[in-house]
């Protein structure tokens, strides 16, 4: 018995011994999995190769569709392990340098995380095999039976959304270099972009599996036409938003990229900020630029009072003497009894020209492993492994901060620019642009910083807001409302962006209604599977009667 799907021609060994078949096929199967994984993984590092990645995903689907469910599931899982290992190759070093784990244990933890993420690949492979393996010869020979593979598109949308992730990746992030394709995010969010990419890969995979009949080519043409329509509409929408952004009111910002962990960083930020030649409405410094302050501190006018209400040493007793407008900078706050021990709140301070703290924003979403460890309540030793010596509390206010000129800026801290709901929530509350304060100084691999940017890029398109990223070591940049990246600084180098940021007020469908598309796709997938099973059951019941 061959391991292959009965609807496809047998490949590999045709021996009647299952054990001999397994031993004969294993090297070939492993080689195929490795090759497919490399093709999928490389575009994560080189996004301009997104077409290569699409071919890799199509090859994965074809691989799984031609094999029985166990082999398809295990093989797809292996493809996920290798491809995600390539994509996030920097993670073991980062885990080792930011935790108390040894280098060996860091690799073990990394393998565990990648294995968890690879379950999504395994579910896709299982689904491809199940949809492609009808129990009856009659359905195997029918064009209708072949069409069930299209259900992989909504199934993948559901898998991506409901499978808890550590790295926050999506199939959508593989096509960020093709701006027209990502414009649909204003309606559907990230899941709609992933839908289009999976539609393309299923179209290719299905044509590779079945291309003998006219209906096969018609279905391929329908899939390709939908993608072409999405690209044409996306190009038109991108052009519209470029015009709207050009006509909108704007604020002039100066975003400083300086590592706050280095000695003299505050002085360096002050010097660079003062070097801005044009009038600036808002100066922006990264996360953790300032010190730790008591929540009652209202201004920085009295250095003695500030010192009494902050932890020592504090290089930012007076963050920006003589600031001509306003400063947005990251620090931490603590309540009574929390000095030198916490718990703390990761806070963004809005400081005006009189040195008053006009308002604050507290980070709403904490970073797993970096700021808390899942399961730490039951296993406290996990905090020691993760080198977490203080506790951070979450914020709960989605409201944007209001500048002196009544402009409203939605603030995000650390990895919150990867969390779609946070950006949408502050936009619903009236944010006219988004500003992310980031401190990734503990991550020394440039790929880490670059991928963080890619995972954040769609926030601008989803909400049609400019996104200013002010990152300690990169990547500081301005993401336009159409997703284009401009005014970008080189990672791991100090610098400053001076740019005009358009202020927009229109709310997108995604901003208003969130992940509605995911639930629609999930419902379609569930109904489709139910209909498929009922159809196959009827055919199976009729087959014995027909044979008699």
């Amino acid at each position: 018995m061959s391991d292959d799907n009965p609807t496809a021609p047998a490949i590999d060994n045709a021996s009647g011994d299952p054990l001999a078949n397994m031993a004969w096929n294993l090297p070939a199967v492993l080689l195929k999995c490795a090759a497919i994984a490399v093709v999928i993984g490389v575009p994560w590092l080189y996004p301009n190769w997104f077409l290569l990645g699409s071919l890799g995903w199509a090859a994965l689907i074809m691989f799984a569709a031609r094999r029985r469910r166990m082999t398809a599931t295990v093989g797809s899982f292996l493809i996920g392990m290798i491809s995600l290992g390539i994509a996030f190759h920097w993670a073991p070093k980062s885990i080792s340098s930011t935790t108390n784990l040894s280098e060996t244990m860091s690799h073990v933890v990394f393998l565990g995380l990648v294995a968890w993420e690879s379950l999504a690949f395994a579910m896709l492979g299982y689904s491809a095999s199940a949809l492609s393996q009808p129990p009856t010869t009659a359905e195997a020979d029918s064009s209708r039976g072949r069409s069930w593979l299209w259900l992989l598109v909504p199934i993948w949308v559901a898998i991506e959304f409901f499978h808890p992730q550590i790295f926050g990746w999506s199939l959508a992030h593989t096509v960020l270099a093709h701006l027209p394709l990502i414009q649909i995010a204003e309606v559907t969010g990230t899941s709609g972009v992933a839908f289009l990419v999976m539609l393309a890969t299923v179209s290719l995979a299905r044509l590779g599996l079945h291309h003998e009949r006219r209906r096969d080519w018609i279905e391929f043409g329908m899939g390709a036409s939908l993608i072409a329509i999405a690209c044409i509409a996306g190009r038109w929408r991108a052009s519209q938003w470029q015009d709207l952004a050009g006509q909108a009111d704007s604020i002039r910002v100066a975003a400083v990229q300086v590592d706050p962990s280095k000695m003299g960083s505050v002085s360096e930020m002050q010097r660079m900020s003062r070097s801005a030649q044009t009038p600036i409405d808002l100066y922006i410094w990264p996360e953790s630029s300032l010190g730790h302050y008591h929540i009652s501190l209202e201004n920085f006018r009295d250095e003695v009072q500030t010192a009494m209400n902050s932890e020592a040493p504090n290089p930012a007793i007076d963050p920006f003497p003589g600031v001509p407008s306003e400063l947005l900078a990251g620090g931490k706050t603590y309540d009574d009894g929390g000095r030198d021990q916490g718990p703390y709140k990761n806070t963004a301070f809005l400081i005006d020209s009189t040195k008053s703290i006009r308002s604050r924003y507290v980070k709403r979403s904490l970073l797993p492993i970096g700021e808390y460890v899942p399961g730490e309540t039951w296993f406290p030793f996990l905090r020691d492994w993760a080198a977490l010596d203080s506790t951070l509390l979450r914020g709960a206010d989605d409201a944007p901060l209001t500048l002196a000129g009544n402009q409203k800026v939605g603030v995000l801290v650390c990895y919150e620019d990867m969390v779609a709901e946070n950006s949408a929530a502050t936009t619903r509350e009236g944010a006219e642009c988004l500003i992310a304060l980031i401190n990734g100084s503990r991550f020394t691999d440039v790929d880490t910083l670059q991928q963080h940017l890619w995972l954040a890029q769609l926030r601008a398109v989803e909400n049609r807001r400019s996104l200013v990223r002010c990152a300690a070591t990169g990547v500081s940049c301005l993401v336009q409302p159409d997703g284009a990246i401009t005014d970008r600084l080189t990672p791991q180098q100090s610098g400053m962006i001076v740019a005009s940021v358009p202020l927009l007020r229109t709310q997108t469908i995604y901003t208003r209604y969130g992940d509605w598309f995911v639930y629609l796709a999930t419902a379609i997938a569930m109904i489709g599977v139910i209909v498929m099973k009922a159809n196959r059951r009827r055919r199976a019941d009729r087959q014995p009667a027909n044979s008699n």
Side-chain angles (χ1 to χ4, degrees):
M1 180 183 296
S2 172
D3 179 60
D4 297 319
N5 187 318
T7 67
I11 58 175
D12 304 324
N13 185 30
S15 165
D17 183 356
L19 294 178
N21 263 337
M22 185 178 298
W24 180 272
N25 290 340
L26 185 59
V29 169
L30 292 177
L31 184 60
K32 290 176 183 176
C33 289
I36 293 170
V38 171
V39 174
I40 291 176
V42 168
W44 273 98
L45 305 178
Y46 305 98
N48 288 327
W49 295 9
F50 64 91
L51 290 177
L52 180 66
S54 297
L55 293 175
W57 284 92
L60 185 155
I61 293 171
M62 293 176 64
F63 167 87
R66 286 173 168 164
R67 285 167 174 79
R68 299 193 185 279
R69 296 176 189 179
M70 179 60 72
T71 305
T73 303
V74 174
S76 299
F77 177 82
L78 179 60
I79 291 171
M81 289 286 291
I82 298 173
S83 61
L84 293 177
I86 294 172
F88 304 112
H89 64 91
W90 47 265
K93 182 179 178 181
S94 296
I95 294 171
S96 178
S97 63
T98 59
T99 68
N100 291 327
L101 297 176
S102 66
E103 186 174 342
T104 300
M105 281 302 300
S106 296
H107 279 84
V108 171
V109 170
F110 173 65
L111 288 176
L113 297 177
V114 169
W116 174 260
E117 299 276 3
S118 297
L119 291 177
F121 286 72
M123 288 185 277
L124 178 66
Y126 176 89
S127 301
S129 178
L131 294 171
S132 301
Q133 292 192 36
T136 67
T137 304
E139 187 175 8
D141 294 335
S142 72
S143 296
R144 182 178 302 174
R146 301 177 180 189
S147 299
W148 294 121
L149 198 64
W150 293 108
L151 283 175
L152 279 180
V153 181
I155 285 173
W156 177 255
V157 171
I159 289 172
E160 267 198 358
F161 185 80
F162 292 107
H163 174 55
Q165 295 182 343
I166 302 298
F167 295 108
W169 62 276
S170 166
L171 197 55
H173 297 128
T174 63
V175 294
L176 292 174
H178 188 57
L179 290 182
L181 198 61
I182 68 175
Q183 302 306 311
I184 196 174
E186 69 172 330
V187 178
T188 63
T190 300
S191 298
V193 184
F195 180 94
L196 290 177
V197 179
M198 184 53 68
L199 178 63
T201 59
V202 172
S203 298
L204 293 171
R206 193 183 177 286
L207 190 66
L209 292 167
H210 308 293
H211 46 265
E212 304 88 1
R213 304 180 184 182
R214 182 180 179 185
R215 177 169 175 168
D216 298 330
W217 288 93
I218 291 175
E219 291 190 17
F220 171 77
M222 292 173 62
S225 297
L226 287 175
I227 297 165
I229 291 171
C231 289
I232 293 170
R235 186 177 296 276
W236 172 65
R237 287 297 286 166
S239 177
Q240 276 193 320
W241 280 102
Q242 289 166 7
D243 293 340
L244 288 172
Q247 299 167 9
D249 295 334
S250 63
I251 57 173
R252 194 74 171 163
V253 303
V256 174
Q257 180 172 294
V258 170
D259 184 353
S261 65
K262 294 183 177 179
M263 292 291 295
S265 60
V266 172
S267 297
E268 178 68 6
M269 287 185 239
Q270 293 172 353
R271 183 192 66 77
M272 295 188 71
S273 299
R274 291 193 180 97
S275 70
Q277 298 298 314
T278 58
I280 300 298
D281 298 304
L282 181 65
Y283 296 88
I284 309 172
W285 293 357
E287 174 192 12
S288 304
S289 296
L290 308 182
H292 296 36
Y293 307 95
H294 190 274
I295 193 66
S296 65
L297 186 67
E298 297 180 349
N299 61 72
F300 293 94
R301 287 191 288 270
D302 187 335
E303 293 189 6
V304 175
Q305 187 69 20
T306 302
M308 292 175 59
N309 284 279
S310 63
E311 294 183 0
N314 183 1
I317 294 294
D318 187 356
F320 192 177
V323 57
S325 55
E326 293 178 285
L327 169 67
L328 180 65
K332 287 186 173 65
T333 54
Y334 57 87
D335 280 310
D336 292 339
R339 183 178 179 132
D340 297 321
Q341 61 184 13
Y344 301 100
K345 296 177 181 179
N346 201 339
T347 305
F349 298 85
L350 181 61
I351 307 165
D352 65 17
S353 58
T354 69
K355 302 184 182 182
S356 294
I357 300 174
R358 284 179 53 88
S359 54
R360 298 179 178 87
Y361 165 79
V362 177
K363 183 181 179 183
R364 291 164 285 168
S365 299
L366 301 184
L367 177 66
I369 300 178
E371 294 174 328
Y372 80 99
V373 181
E376 64 182 31
T377 303
W378 298 279
F379 306 102
F381 62 86
L382 292 176
R383 290 185 60 85
D384 295 331
W385 284 3
L388 299 180
D389 54 3
S390 62
T391 300
L392 287 178
L393 303 178
R394 304 171 190 265
D397 192 355
D398 298 327
L401 303 185
T402 304
L403 305 184
N406 206 36
Q407 305 96 335
K408 299 183 183 299
V409 299
V411 180
L412 309 166
V413 175
C414 189
Y415 93 118
E416 283 188 316
D417 60 355
M418 294 164 47
V419 183
E421 173 54 27
N422 286 21
S423 297
T426 193
T427 304
R428 284 194 297 270
E429 292 293 323
E432 298 167 315
C433 69
L434 301 172
I435 298 177
L437 310 183
I438 301 157
N439 178 17
S441 58
R442 294 198 295 177
F443 300 103
T444 57
D445 194 305
V446 173
D447 286 338
T448 315
L449 307 176
Q450 181 61 63
Q451 287 178 7
H452 185 176
L453 166 60
W454 293 336
L455 295 177
Q457 190 174 344
L458 284 172
R459 303 296 85 76
V461 184
E462 289 166 350
N463 302 286
R464 293 304 187 185
R465 295 294 186 270
S466 295
L467 169 62
V468 182
R469 300 185 82 247
C470 181
T473 55
V475 178
S476 296
C477 63
L478 173 60
V479 185
Q480 300 289 349
D482 65 343
I485 298 174
T486 60
D487 302 282
R488 174 177 175 153
L489 294 178
T490 303
Q492 306 289 11
Q493 295 182 17
S494 297
M496 181 173 64
I497 290 174
V498 177
S500 293
V501 179
L503 304 175
L504 299 169
R505 299 174 181 85
T506 303
Q507 292 192 359
T508 66
I509 292 176
Y510 179 77
T511 300
R512 293 179 180 178
Y513 303 110
D515 295 306
W516 66 272
F517 182 78
V518 173
Y519 299 104
L520 175 62
T522 303
I524 292 173
M526 293 175 66
I527 293 171
V529 169
I530 292 172
V531 172
M532 179 195 71
K533 286 183 174 293
N535 181 281
R536 288 181 173 177
R537 192 176 296 113
R538 286 196 302 269
R539 287 179 177 273
D541 292 341
R542 288 200 302 264
Q543 192 174 26
N546 293 337
S547 62
N548 293 331

